[in-house]
């Protein structure tokens, strides 16, 4: 198709502002799906996506639409984006494949944190942004107020803003016409060497890796040999096509078009999101800008509850990695939990999703340790160590300096919760950067926070303080030096490596005391006394004692001298001493996550 009749656009929105419902409306309006095929959140085909109302895996769909203005048929490519901050790199690559974006804002809730973050990403990619006010049919909708909010905070001209309700099919036609009129056609040159941007990939059990690509220059045909520039791998194109939204085979992908390529690739690690695909024989081709290797930010140990399920866990992680290239894992041995894996995640939501998918899709019972972040340690001999696991921390005498990662946190909140939020951020060693009032009811607060404080219980406390009304966005800033220590939890004088954590020295005493108290509540009483201690090195900073279950051994004495009862009690005491020496303590899953639940 002539590039001037092609439009590539994306939909950006905060969670629950109606992005997936609007995509459903566009599919129905253009006749891409028939009535019998319709279902809510059509492009969100994962059970978890439907339950949580978020997009985890981006989809793409090619729509043919006949304009009511000029009667011309246009090829409209909707490149969907994941809806959470953890997947911001994937969002940036999806936006790089577009020329325009529809900004969806809830007419009742107004501008939220991710609205702003995704708009700034779109602006960096020089996209034409079309603002849309969704859910105007709600009784508490405030179109005029939200329109002013968008103008003040985002700086977009909202004189031609489209009023819509994706659920009631209001404004869908106007949105499609606005895409044709305002989104520029792709700057496509078919005579150059082929260059395509990979913006997503996943594994198919029958066909291998499916690569989603937006052709920037040139043409790729079925049977061509192509090269992935970041991994320098050569493959032959076996199949190619477009999603309409069902796979439609084609023989060529022209510049400006969006489609999928299948080359029979067996390992998804050979295909990187953001990479450039070109012809194998092409010389002097420059890769498209913006490619990055995805680095995990949060780490946690995943262990099977039953040791015999270790092999099943390995198989499950291997299979999950085929569809999620950003998940990394390596073997780990814990004295408390046995054999398992140390996994790296993009963020807390990504960790939660992976754990839930492992349990649901592969029927595994898992224990997940509390998440930690990466620390940068410079040793006395000058070597730099990136520490992901507290158990690998060197001796204090060998450390010259320790640095922790900091993030910039943007909070959108109603004004009545400012006091509670500021106190929360100060408790978490935060430094306030700025505070802007959008209007008399809403405020944006920016804080610089240590990331290890944020992965603990920050999000839960934020939601409870603001009754769920605040929204959060964060981005990595840099590593900064800090006075950090490793705190161990000892149960009956044995350190439990899975409960070790790294924290700021000023917080160690308080958190140690709270954690031992919490552990006492969670660990069931045994037939012998259990000592729970928090220690920094050899120094014990907090202690709790879980008393033994006392069996009434004197119940069978109905009378006689007191010495008979004493004799039985002494016998019991000797037995308890012996049990204490050989006894092991059952620690429930909740205890490993107690680190997240204690409040300073």
């Amino acid at each position: 198709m002539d590039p001037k009749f092609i439009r590539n656009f994306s939909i950006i929105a905060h969670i629950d502002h109606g992005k997936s419902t609007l995509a459903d409306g566009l599919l129905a309006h253009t006749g891409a799906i028939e009535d019998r095929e319709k279902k809510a959140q059509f492009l969100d085909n994962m059970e978890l996506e439907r339950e949580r109302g978020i997009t985890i895996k981006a989809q793409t769909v090619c729509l043919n639409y006949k304009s009511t203005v000029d009667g011309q048929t246009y090829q409209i490519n909707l490149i969907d984006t994941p809806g959470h901050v953890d997947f911001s790199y994937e969002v940036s690559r999806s936006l790089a494949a577009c020329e325009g974006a529809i900004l969806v804002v809830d007419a009742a809730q107004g501008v939220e944190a991710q609205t702003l973050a995704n708009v700034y990403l779109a602006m960096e990619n020089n996209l034409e942004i079309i603002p849309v006010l969704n859910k105007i049919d709600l009784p508490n909708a405030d179109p005029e107020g939200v329109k002013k909010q968008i103008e003040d905070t985002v700086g977009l001209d909202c004189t031609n803003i489209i009023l819509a309700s994706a659920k009631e099919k209001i404004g869908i036609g106007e949105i499609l016409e606005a895409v044709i009129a305002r989104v520029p056609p792709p700057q496509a040159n078919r005579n150059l060497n082929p260059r395509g941007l990979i913006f997503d990939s996943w594994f198919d059990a029958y066909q291998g890796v499916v690569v989603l690509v937006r052709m920037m220059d040139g043409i790729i045909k079925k049977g061509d040999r192509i090269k992935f520039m970041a991994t320098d791998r050569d493959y032959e194109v076996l199949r190619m096509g477009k999603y309409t939204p069902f796979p439609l085979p084609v023989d060529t992908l022209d510049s400006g078009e969006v489609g999928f390529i299948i080359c029979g690739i067996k390992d998804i690690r050979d295909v990187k999101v953001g990479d450039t695909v070109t012809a194998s024989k092409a010389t002097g081709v420059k890769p498209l800008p913006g490619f990055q290797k995805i680095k995990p930010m949060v780490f946690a140990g995943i262990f099977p509850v039953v040791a015999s399920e270790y092999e099943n866990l390995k198989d499950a992680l291997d299979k999950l990695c085929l569809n999620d290239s950003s998940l990394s894992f390596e073997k780990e041995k814990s004295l408390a939990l046995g054999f398992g894996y140390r996994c790296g995640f993009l963020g807390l939501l990504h960790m939660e999703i992976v754990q839930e998918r492992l349990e649901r899709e592969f029927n595994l019972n898992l224990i997940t340790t509390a998440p930690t972040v990466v620390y940068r340690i410079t040793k006395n001999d000058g070597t730099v160590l990136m520490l992901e696991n507290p158990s690998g921390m060197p001796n204090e005498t060998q450390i010259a300096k320790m640095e922790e990662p900091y993030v910039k946190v943007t909070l959108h909140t109603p004004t009545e919760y400012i006091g509670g939020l500021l106190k929360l951020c100060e408790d978490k060693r935060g430094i306030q950067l700025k505070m802007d009032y959008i209007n008399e009811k809403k405020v944006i607060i920016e804080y610089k926070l240590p990331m290890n404080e944020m992965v603990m219980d920050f999000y839960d406390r934020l939601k409870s303080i603001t009754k769920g009304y605040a929204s959060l966005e964060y981005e990595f800033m840099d590593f900064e030096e800090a006075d950090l220590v490793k705190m161990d939890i000892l149960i009956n004088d044995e350190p439990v490596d899975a409960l070790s954590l790294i924290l700021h020295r000023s917080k160690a005493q308080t958190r140690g005391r709270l954690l031992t108290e919490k552990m006492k509540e969670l660990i069931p009483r045994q037939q012998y006394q259990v000592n729970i201690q928090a220690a920094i090195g050899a120094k014990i900073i907090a202690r709790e004692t879980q008393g033994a279950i006392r069996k009434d051994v004197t119940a069978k004495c109905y009378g006689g001298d007191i010495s008979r009862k004493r004799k039985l009690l002494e016998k019991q005491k000797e037995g308890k001493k012996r049990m204490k020496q050989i006894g092991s303590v059952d620690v429930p899953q909740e205890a490993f996550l107690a680190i997240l639940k204690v409040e300073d």
Side-chain angles (χ1 to χ4, degrees), residues 126-422:
N126 298 316
L127 301 191
E128 176 65 38
I129 298 168
I130 301 168
V132 172
L133 266 188
N134 195 21
K135 305 189 186 180
I136 55 157
D137 56 314
L138 292 180
N140 59 338
D142 177 20
E144 288 306 312
V146 175
K147 195 168 32 167
K148 189 174 185 306
Q149 255 188 52
I150 297 169
E151 286 178 340
D152 293 347
T153 53
V154 185
L156 282 178
D157 178 20
C158 290
T159 45
N160 295 323
I161 196 164
I162 299 167
L163 303 180
S165 168
K167 203 169 187 180
E168 299 298 325
K169 307 290 182 285
I170 300 167
I172 304 291
E174 288 92 317
I175 292 169
L176 286 165
E177 291 299 338
V179 167
I180 289 166
R182 294 167 62 180
V183 174
Q187 298 291 313
N189 191 333
R190 294 178 180 180
N191 300 319
L192 294 175
N193 279 323
R195 280 198 311 171
L197 172 69
I198 297 168
F199 59 89
D200 201 8
S201 64
W202 64 87
F203 189 83
D204 183 281
Y206 301 102
Q207 303 177 106
V209 178
V210 180
V211 183
L212 282 183
V213 65
R214 151 74 201 271
M215 292 304 297
M216 296 296 186
D217 303 313
I219 299 172
I220 288 180
K221 296 187 177 110
K222 187 177 170 181
D224 284 358
R225 285 203 72 81
I226 57 169
K227 180 171 76 174
F228 298 104
M229 297 185 80
T231 52
D232 200 28
R233 295 292 180 97
D234 269 38
Y235 292 99
E236 183 188 340
V237 178
L238 303 176
R239 280 189 65 205
M240 56 201 314
K242 297 173 182 178
Y243 286 102
T244 63
F246 305 103
L248 175 73
V250 297
D251 291 330
T252 59
L253 277 179
D254 286 354
S255 47
E257 292 191 326
V258 175
F260 65 86
I261 295 173
I262 294 168
C263 306
I265 305 166
K266 296 288 182 284
D267 189 352
I268 198 165
R269 293 176 188 86
D270 290 352
V271 181
K272 307 280 187 190
V273 172
D275 191 8
T276 304
V277 62
T278 186
S280 291
K281 293 176 183 173
T283 53
V285 177
K286 284 190 177 177
L288 295 161
F291 172 69
Q292 294 171 16
K293 283 189 177 173
I294 300 177
K295 294 191 184 98
M297 295 296 289
V298 173
F299 293 84
I302 293 183
F303 298 86
V305 171
V306 183
S308 59
E309 283 195 338
Y310 173 73
E311 284 301 318
N312 295 345
L313 174 60
K314 182 184 183 303
D315 292 344
L317 282 167
D318 280 334
K319 285 174 184 169
L320 202 57
C321 269
L322 292 173
N323 281 320
D324 187 351
S325 56
S326 51
L327 170 67
S328 62
F329 64 93
E330 57 186 38
K331 288 178 185 173
E332 182 179 33
K333 184 177 184 285
S334 160
L335 293 171
L337 301 173
F339 289 95
Y341 288 91
R342 188 88 187 155
C343 300
F345 309 96
L346 299 173
L348 282 177
L349 179 89
H350 187 216
M351 173 184 148
E352 223 175 289
I353 286 162
V354 167
Q355 186 192 343
E356 209 160 322
R357 286 187 71 185
L358 285 170
E359 290 185 343
R360 277 191 195 192
E361 294 173 25
F362 302 98
N363 295 320
L364 294 170
N365 284 322
L366 303 172
I367 286 178
T368 309
T369 63
T372 59
V373 297
V374 189
Y375 299 92
R376 192 160 66 190
I377 295 175
T378 308
K379 295 168 88 169
N380 292 331
D381 60 3
T383 56
V384 177
L385 173 73
M386 300 305 281
L387 183 71
E388 300 162 5
N389 192 343
S391 61
M393 185 167 164
N395 200 304
E396 271 196 67
T397 54
Q398 300 176 336
I399 298 172
K401 70 170 179 178
M402 274 189 83
E403 295 167 290
E404 63 179 337
Y406 271 77
V407 289
K408 184 172 86 174
V409 175
T410 308
L411 303 166
H412 285 234
T413 176
T415 47
E416 61 261 38
Y417 306 118
I418 291 174
L421 276 190
L422 295 182

Side-chain angles (χ1 to χ4, degrees), residues 78-97:
L78 162 58
I79 299 169
D80 199 10
T81 56
H84 195 270
V85 56
D86 284 1
F87 309 109
S88 58
Y89 174 65
E90 283 96 325
V91 174
S92 76
R93 296 303 83 212
S94 291
L95 293 177

